Amino acid sequence: MNLKKALNKDFKLALKKIKKYDKIAVFRHQRPDFDAIGTQLGLVYWLRDSFPTKEIHFIGKDFSQFKDTLYPAMETVDDNFFENKFLAIIVDTGNSQRIDDERYKKADFIIKFDHHPNDEPYGNINIIANELSSASELVSTFCMNFEKKYPLPILSCKYFYSGIVGDTGRFLFSSVDCYTFEVASRLLKYGLKPAFDVYDKMYEKDIESLNLQRYVLNNMKVSSKGVAYYILLDEDLKELNIEADRGKEHLSLMSNIKNIPIWFSITEYKEKNEFRVSIRSKKIDISKVANKYHGGGHINASGATIYSIDEIDSLIKDLEDLI
Ligand code: AMP
C-alpha cells in the first residue's frame, strides 16, 4: 500500500519518540464516538503491552453512551502526572480546540494521528491519512507496522475493530475500500470474534433507544429541497430520559432515502446554552457549512454548533444551497 510507504518515516519517528518517554498520555476528541475511543484504547493497550515499564494513560471524560458496554470507564489521572515530562499522543482530533482535556498543552512532545483534513497541524509530528475510513484504521496500521516485535493484544484488536465499524457504519460508507477490509481481516487473524467480542455489546439497545427511534420517525421534517432533520430540545430529552450526547444516535434513520441528499440532527445542551448539530450527506460536501456554524469534519459527516434555535432557518438554507 502506497500510503503505508509514505507514512513509514513518520511511523518510525513516532516509535522512536514512544521509546524515549517514560510517561505517555493518549488523548482524543470531546464527545467521542466509537472511532475516537476505539483508537485511543486500542493504542493504549498496545503501548502497555509493548512497553510494560512505562506509565501510560488514556485521558478524557466518561461518555454516557459507552458506559458499561464495550469499553472500560475513563481513568481519572491526577494533575501530578502532567507535571513531569510526558509524550502526548492525540488521536482522531482535527483541531486543538476539540481535544478532550487541556492538559495536553503541558506535553513535552505531541504526536497527532488523524484521518480528518489537517486544518491545524498542532503536533510536533502529524501523521495524517484522510483517505482512510477511520483513525482506528490508521493507528492499527501504525501498530501492525511493528507487530513482529510488538504484536497486538486482543483488546487492541477489539477496540480498533470497533472504531473501524463505527466510522464506516458497519463497512457501509464510501470511505471503505479493500484496505479497510485488509486491516479488519488482520485484526481478526489475532483471534478476534466480531459477533461476540464487538457487535453484541456495540449494538445492544436499551428501551430509551427505541423510544428515541420512534421520536425521530414521528418528528423528522423534510425541507422543500430535501434536507431532512429532527430537533431534540431539552424537554424532549427529559421526556425520553436520555442525555444530550445521545441525541444523534438515530441520525442514520434519515440516510439513504430517495431525494434526501442531506440530513441532520439538532440537540439542545441546555447547561451550555448551545445546540449541537450533526450533519450527514450522501455525496455533497457539507463540511464548509459546518465550518460556518463553528464546526467542521469530513465531506459527508460533520458537526457544528448553533447558539439559538432561530439559526435553523439559515442553516437549512445554506444546506439547501448545496443541493
Ligand atoms: P458528529 O456529528 O459530532 O458525529 O461529528 C461528525 C464528524 O465531524 C466527526 O468526524 C467529528 O470528529 C467531526 N466534527 C464534529 N464537530 C467538529 C468541530 N467542531 N470541528 C471539527 N470537526 C468536528
Side-chain angles (χ1 to χ4, degrees):
M1 188 206 177
N2 289 337
L3 175 86
K4 217 170 98 182
K5 266 194 197 145
L7 295 177
N8 209 15
K9 213 170 106 215
D10 285 341
F11 280 175
K12 281 192 177 141
L13 190 57
L15 185 69
K16 202 168 145 197
K17 293 293 170 187
I18 287 168
K19 285 181 175 167
K20 178 180 162 188
Y21 287 89
D22 291 331
K23 291 175 187 289
I24 303 175
V26 181
F27 297 76
R28 40 89 183 149
H29 63 75
Q30 299 161 355
R31 297 188 191 114
D33 48 18
F34 286 112
D35 191 33
I37 298 205
T39 310
Q40 179 186 35
L41 291 174
L43 179 60
V44 164
Y45 281 82
W46 177 77
L47 287 169
R48 285 181 178 165
D49 217 58
S50 306
F51 306 99
T53 58
K54 296 184 191 292
E55 186 178 354
I56 300 161
H57 293 294
F58 46 97
I59 314 291
K61 285 189 202 69
D62 250 325
F63 189 63
S64 55
Q65 191 187 341
F66 298 122
K67 253 187 225 158
D68 309 322
T69 55
L70 204 53
Y71 309 118
M74 283 291 139
E75 295 181 305
T76 314
V77 183
D78 197 86
D79 282 345
N80 290 337
F81 173 85
F82 301 91
E83 294 310 324
N84 298 302
K85 269 194 174 178
F86 73 97
L87 168 70
I89 305 181
I90 303 170
V91 300
D92 196 34
T93 312
N95 49 1
S96 57
Q97 223 188 348
R98 296 190 74 225
I99 300 170
D100 191 343
D101 205 314
E102 296 233 310
R103 292 177 293 181
Y104 81 90
K105 289 180 182 160
K106 298 193 161 189
D108 194 50
F109 197 90
I110 297 177
I111 302 173
K112 174 185 183 185
F113 276 105
D114 195 22
H115 72 129
H116 296 95
N118 195 17
D119 293 336
E120 190 190 340
Y122 54 76
N124 300 100
I125 308 176
N126 298 284
I127 303 180
I128 312 297
N130 41 35
E131 58 274 57
L132 293 188
S133 72
S134 52
S136 283
E137 196 179 324
L138 171 63
V139 178
S140 309
T141 303
F142 169 71
C143 299
M144 286 169 182
N145 204 45
F146 306 106
E147 68 188 338
K148 281 206 179 97
K149 188 153 183 207
Y150 305 114
L152 279 72
I154 193 78
L155 276 175
S156 293
C157 298
K158 165 174 156 166
Y159 297 139
F160 286 143
Y161 191 87
S162 72
I164 295 172
V165 168
D167 251 28
T168 60
R170 309 181 205 180
F171 301 100
L172 207 67
F173 300 157
S174 57
S175 54
V176 173
D177 60 16
C178 62
Y179 186 67
T180 316
F181 283 106
E182 191 182 319
V183 172
S185 157
R186 286 173 71 179
L187 293 171
L188 297 201
K189 280 186 188 144
Y190 273 94
L192 184 73
K193 303 269 177 287
F196 177 76
D197 293 326
V198 181
Y199 300 133
D200 281 359
K201 297 182 184 81
M202 196 164 170
Y203 295 117
E204 186 181 51
K205 286 195 214 85
D206 54 19
I207 202 74
E208 284 79 9
S209 175
L210 286 186
N211 288 336
L212 176 59
Q213 203 163 344
R214 184 183 311 134
Y215 175 91
V216 173
L217 292 174
N218 284 334
N219 293 283
M220 68 174 263
K221 296 189 170 57
V222 185
S223 79
S224 58
K225 287 198 182 150
V227 175
Y229 60 97
Y230 67 86
I231 303 171
L232 282 165
L233 298 177
D234 188 61
E235 64 207 55
D236 304 316
L237 296 169
K238 288 205 172 91
E239 197 165 318
L240 291 162
N241 191 27
I242 58 161
E243 296 189 34
D245 288 338
R246 293 183 64 180
K248 65 177 178 182
E249 201 170 292
H250 287 302
L251 251 181
S252 64
L253 285 173
M254 299 185 288
S255 71
N256 224 8
I257 302 176
K258 213 170 176 178
N259 299 326
I260 298 186
I262 299 178
W263 58 101
F264 68 88
S265 65
I266 294 193
T267 309
E268 182 173 12
Y269 281 72
K270 190 149 196 209
E271 72 289 0
K272 291 187 181 157
N273 281 320
E274 64 183 40
F275 300 82
R276 261 308 281 179
V277 187
S278 283
I279 315 170
R280 303 290 185 265
S281 72
K282 184 102 182 167
K283 291 197 184 106
I284 298 168
D285 181 355
I286 36 105
S287 61
K288 301 269 180 319
V289 171
N291 285 143
K292 182 174 168 189
Y293 292 88
H294 321 282
H298 307 277
I299 291 173
N300 304 122
S302 286
T305 304
I306 57 175
Y307 295 94
S308 157
I309 199 69
D310 299 336
E311 285 184 75
I312 188 170
D313 291 338
S314 69
L315 174 65
I316 292 170
K317 165 93 180 43
D318 286 336
L319 291 172
E320 283 189 330
D321 286 347
L322 298 175
I323 296 175

Coordinates of all heavy atoms in Angstrom, one line a residue, residues 29-31 33 35-36 92-95 97-98 114-116 119 167 248 251 265 276-280 290-291 293-298 300-305, ligand 1:
H29 N -10.9 13.3 20.9 CA -11.7 14.5 20.9 C -12.9 14.4 21.9 O -13.2 13.3 22.4 CB -12.3 14.8 19.5 CG -13.1 13.7 18.9 ND1 -14.5 13.5 19.3 CD2 -12.9 12.8 17.9 CE1 -15.0 12.6 18.5 NE2 -14.1 12.1 17.7
Q30 N -13.4 15.6 22.2 CA -14.6 15.7 23.1 C -15.8 15.0 22.5 O -15.8 14.8 21.3 CB -15.0 17.2 23.3 CG -13.9 18.0 23.9 CD -14.1 19.5 23.7 OE1 -15.0 19.9 22.9 NE2 -13.2 20.3 24.2
R31 N -16.8 14.6 23.3 CA -18.0 13.9 22.8 C -17.5 12.8 21.9 O -17.9 12.8 20.7 CB -18.9 14.9 22.1 CG -19.5 15.9 23.0 CD -20.6 16.7 22.2 NE -20.9 17.9 22.9 CZ -20.7 19.1 22.5 NH1 -20.2 19.3 21.3 NH2 -21.1 20.2 23.2
D33 N -16.8 9.4 19.7 CA -17.6 8.3 19.0 C -16.8 7.0 19.1 O -15.8 7.0 19.8 CB -17.9 8.7 17.6 CG -16.7 9.2 16.9 OD1 -15.5 8.9 17.4 OD2 -16.8 9.8 15.8
D35 N -15.0 5.6 17.0 CA -13.7 5.6 16.5 C -12.7 6.3 17.4 O -11.5 5.9 17.6 CB -13.7 6.4 15.1 CG -12.4 6.2 14.3 OD1 -11.7 5.2 14.5 OD2 -12.0 7.2 13.6
A36 N -13.1 7.4 18.0 CA -12.2 8.2 18.9 C -11.8 7.3 20.1 O -10.6 7.1 20.4 CB -12.9 9.4 19.4
D92 N -7.6 11.1 16.3 CA -8.9 11.4 15.7 C -9.4 12.8 16.0 O -10.6 13.0 16.1 CB -9.9 10.4 16.3 CG -11.2 10.3 15.5 OD1 -11.1 10.5 14.2 OD2 -12.3 10.1 16.1
T93 N -8.5 13.8 16.2 CA -9.0 15.1 16.5 C -8.3 16.2 15.6 O -7.1 16.4 15.7 CB -8.5 15.4 18.0 OG1 -8.9 14.3 18.8 CG2 -9.2 16.7 18.5
G94 N -9.1 16.8 14.7 CA -8.6 17.7 13.7 C -8.0 19.0 14.2 O -7.0 19.4 13.8
N95 N -8.8 19.5 15.2 CA -8.3 20.8 15.7 C -8.1 20.8 17.2 O -8.8 20.1 17.9 CB -9.2 22.0 15.3 CG -10.6 21.7 15.5 OD1 -11.0 20.7 16.0 ND2 -11.5 22.6 15.2
Q97 N -8.9 22.8 19.6 CA -10.0 23.2 20.4 C -10.9 22.0 20.9 O -11.5 22.0 21.9 CB -10.9 24.1 19.5 CG -11.4 25.3 20.3 CD -12.4 26.0 19.4 OE1 -12.5 25.7 18.2 NE2 -13.1 26.9 20.0
R98 N -10.9 20.9 20.1 CA -11.7 19.8 20.4 C -11.0 18.7 21.2 O -11.6 17.7 21.5 CB -12.2 19.1 19.1 CG -13.1 20.0 18.3 CD -13.8 19.2 17.2 NE -14.8 18.4 17.6 CZ -15.0 17.1 17.3 NH1 -14.2 16.5 16.5 NH2 -16.0 16.4 17.8
D114 N -4.4 11.3 12.7 CA -5.8 11.7 12.4 C -6.1 11.3 10.9 O -5.3 11.2 10.1 CB -6.0 13.2 12.6 CG -7.4 13.5 12.6 OD1 -8.3 12.7 12.9 OD2 -7.7 14.7 12.4
H115 N -7.4 11.2 10.7 CA -7.9 11.0 9.3 C -8.8 12.1 8.9 O -9.5 12.0 7.9 CB -8.6 9.6 9.2 CG -10.0 9.6 9.9 ND1 -11.1 9.1 9.3 CD2 -10.4 9.9 11.1 CE1 -12.1 9.2 10.1 NE2 -11.7 9.7 11.2
H116 N -8.9 13.2 9.7 CA -9.6 14.4 9.2 C -8.7 15.3 8.4 O -7.5 15.2 8.5 CB -10.1 15.2 10.4 CG -11.1 14.5 11.3 ND1 -10.7 13.8 12.4 CD2 -12.4 14.4 11.2 CE1 -11.8 13.3 13.0 NE2 -12.9 13.6 12.3
D119 N -6.3 20.6 9.1 CA -6.5 22.1 9.1 C -5.6 22.7 10.2 O -5.1 23.8 10.0 CB -8.0 22.4 9.5 CG -8.9 22.0 8.5 OD1 -8.5 21.9 7.3 OD2 -10.1 21.8 8.8
D167 N -17.0 4.1 12.4 CA -16.8 5.2 11.5 C -17.2 4.8 10.0 O -17.2 5.7 9.2 CB -15.4 5.7 11.5 CG -15.3 7.1 12.1 OD1 -16.2 7.4 13.0 OD2 -14.5 7.9 11.8
K248 N -27.8 12.3 18.7 CA -27.6 12.0 17.2 C -27.6 10.5 16.9 O -27.4 10.0 15.8 CB -26.2 12.5 16.8 CG -25.0 11.9 17.5 CD -23.7 12.4 17.0 CE -22.6 11.7 17.8 NZ -21.3 12.1 17.5
L251 N -29.5 9.3 13.8 CA -29.3 10.0 12.5 C -29.5 9.1 11.3 O -30.0 9.5 10.3 CB -27.9 10.6 12.5 CG -27.7 12.1 12.7 CD1 -26.2 12.3 12.6 CD2 -28.4 12.9 11.7
S265 N -29.2 16.3 12.6 CA -30.0 16.4 13.9 C -29.5 17.6 14.7 O -28.4 18.0 14.5 CB -29.7 15.1 14.7 OG -28.4 15.1 15.1
R276 N -26.1 21.3 19.5 CA -25.2 20.5 18.7 C -25.8 20.1 17.4 O -26.9 19.5 17.5 CB -24.7 19.3 19.4 CG -23.4 19.3 20.2 CD -22.2 19.7 19.4 NE -21.6 18.7 18.6 CZ -20.6 18.9 17.8 NH1 -20.0 20.1 17.8 NH2 -20.1 18.0 17.0
V277 N -25.2 20.3 16.3 CA -25.7 19.9 15.0 C -24.9 18.8 14.5 O -23.6 18.9 14.4 CB -25.8 21.0 14.0 CG1 -26.5 20.6 12.8 CG2 -26.4 22.3 14.7
S278 N -25.5 17.7 14.1 CA -24.7 16.6 13.4 C -25.2 16.5 12.0 O -26.4 16.2 11.8 CB -24.9 15.2 14.1 OG -24.1 15.2 15.2
I279 N -24.4 16.7 11.0 CA -24.8 16.8 9.6 C -24.2 15.6 8.8 O -23.1 15.3 9.0 CB -24.4 18.1 8.9 CG1 -24.6 19.3 9.9 CG2 -25.1 18.3 7.6 CD1 -24.0 20.6 9.4
R280 N -25.0 15.0 8.0 CA -24.6 13.9 7.1 C -25.1 14.1 5.7 O -26.1 14.8 5.5 CB -25.1 12.6 7.6 CG -24.8 12.2 9.1 CD -23.3 12.0 9.3 NE -23.0 11.5 10.6 CZ -22.6 12.4 11.6 NH1 -22.5 13.7 11.4 NH2 -22.4 11.9 12.8
A290 N -20.6 23.3 7.8 CA -20.3 23.0 9.3 C -19.3 24.0 9.8 O -19.4 24.6 10.9 CB -19.8 21.6 9.4
N291 N -18.3 24.4 9.0 CA -17.3 25.4 9.4 C -17.9 26.7 9.7 O -17.6 27.4 10.7 CB -16.3 25.6 8.2 CG -15.3 24.5 8.1 OD1 -14.9 24.2 7.0 ND2 -14.9 23.9 9.1
Y293 N -20.8 27.2 10.8 CA -21.5 27.2 12.1 C -20.6 26.6 13.2 O -21.0 25.6 13.9 CB -22.8 26.4 11.9 CG -23.8 27.1 11.0 CD1 -23.8 26.9 9.7 CD2 -24.7 28.0 11.6 CE1 -24.7 27.6 8.8 CE2 -25.6 28.7 10.8 CZ -25.6 28.5 9.4 OH -26.4 29.2 8.6
H294 N -19.4 27.1 13.3 CA -18.5 26.8 14.4 C -18.2 25.3 14.5 O -18.1 24.7 15.6 CB -19.1 27.2 15.8 CG -19.8 28.5 15.7 ND1 -19.1 29.7 15.7 CD2 -21.1 28.8 15.6 CE1 -20.0 30.7 15.6 NE2 -21.2 30.2 15.6
G295 N -18.1 24.6 13.3 CA -17.7 23.2 13.4 C -16.8 22.8 12.3 O -16.0 23.6 11.8
G296 N -16.9 21.5 11.9 CA -16.0 21.0 10.9 C -16.2 19.5 10.8 O -17.2 19.0 11.3
G297 N -15.3 18.9 10.1 CA -15.4 17.4 10.0 C -15.1 17.0 8.6 O -14.2 17.6 7.9
H298 N -15.8 15.9 8.2 CA -15.5 15.3 6.8 C -16.5 15.8 5.8 O -17.5 16.4 6.1 CB -15.6 13.8 6.9 CG -14.8 13.2 8.0 ND1 -13.5 12.9 7.9 CD2 -15.2 12.8 9.3 CE1 -13.1 12.3 9.0 NE2 -14.1 12.3 9.9
N300 N -18.7 14.1 4.1 CA -20.1 13.6 4.3 C -20.5 13.4 5.7 O -21.6 12.9 6.0 CB -20.2 12.2 3.6 CG -19.8 12.3 2.1 OD1 -18.9 11.6 1.7 ND2 -20.5 13.2 1.4
A301 N -19.7 13.8 6.7 CA -20.1 13.7 8.1 C -19.4 14.8 8.9 O -18.2 14.8 9.1 CB -19.7 12.4 8.7
S302 N -20.2 15.8 9.3 CA -19.6 17.0 10.0 C -20.5 17.3 11.2 O -21.6 16.9 11.3 CB -19.5 18.2 9.1 OG -18.5 18.1 8.1
G303 N -19.8 18.1 12.1 CA -20.6 18.5 13.3 C -20.5 20.0 13.4 O -19.5 20.6 12.9
A304 N -21.4 20.7 14.0 CA -21.5 22.1 14.2 C -22.2 22.5 15.5 O -22.8 21.6 16.1 CB -22.1 22.7 13.0
T305 N -22.2 23.8 15.8 CA -22.9 24.3 17.0 C -23.7 25.5 16.6 O -23.1 26.4 15.9 CB -21.9 24.6 18.1 OG1 -21.1 23.4 18.3 CG2 -22.6 25.0 19.4
Ligands
AMP1 P1 -20.6 14.3 14.9 O1 -21.8 14.9 14.1 O2 -20.4 15.0 16.2 O3 -20.7 12.9 14.9 O4 -19.3 14.7 14.0 C1 -19.1 14.2 12.7 C2 -17.7 14.4 12.3 O5 -17.3 15.7 12.3 C3 -16.7 13.7 13.3 O6 -15.7 13.1 12.5 C4 -16.2 14.7 14.1 O7 -14.9 14.4 14.6 C5 -16.2 16.0 13.2 N1 -16.5 17.2 14.0 C6 -17.6 17.4 14.8 N2 -17.6 18.6 15.3 C7 -16.5 19.2 14.9 C8 -15.9 20.5 15.1 N3 -16.4 21.4 15.9 N4 -14.7 20.8 14.5 C9 -14.1 19.8 13.7 N5 -14.6 18.6 13.4 C10 -15.8 18.3 14.0

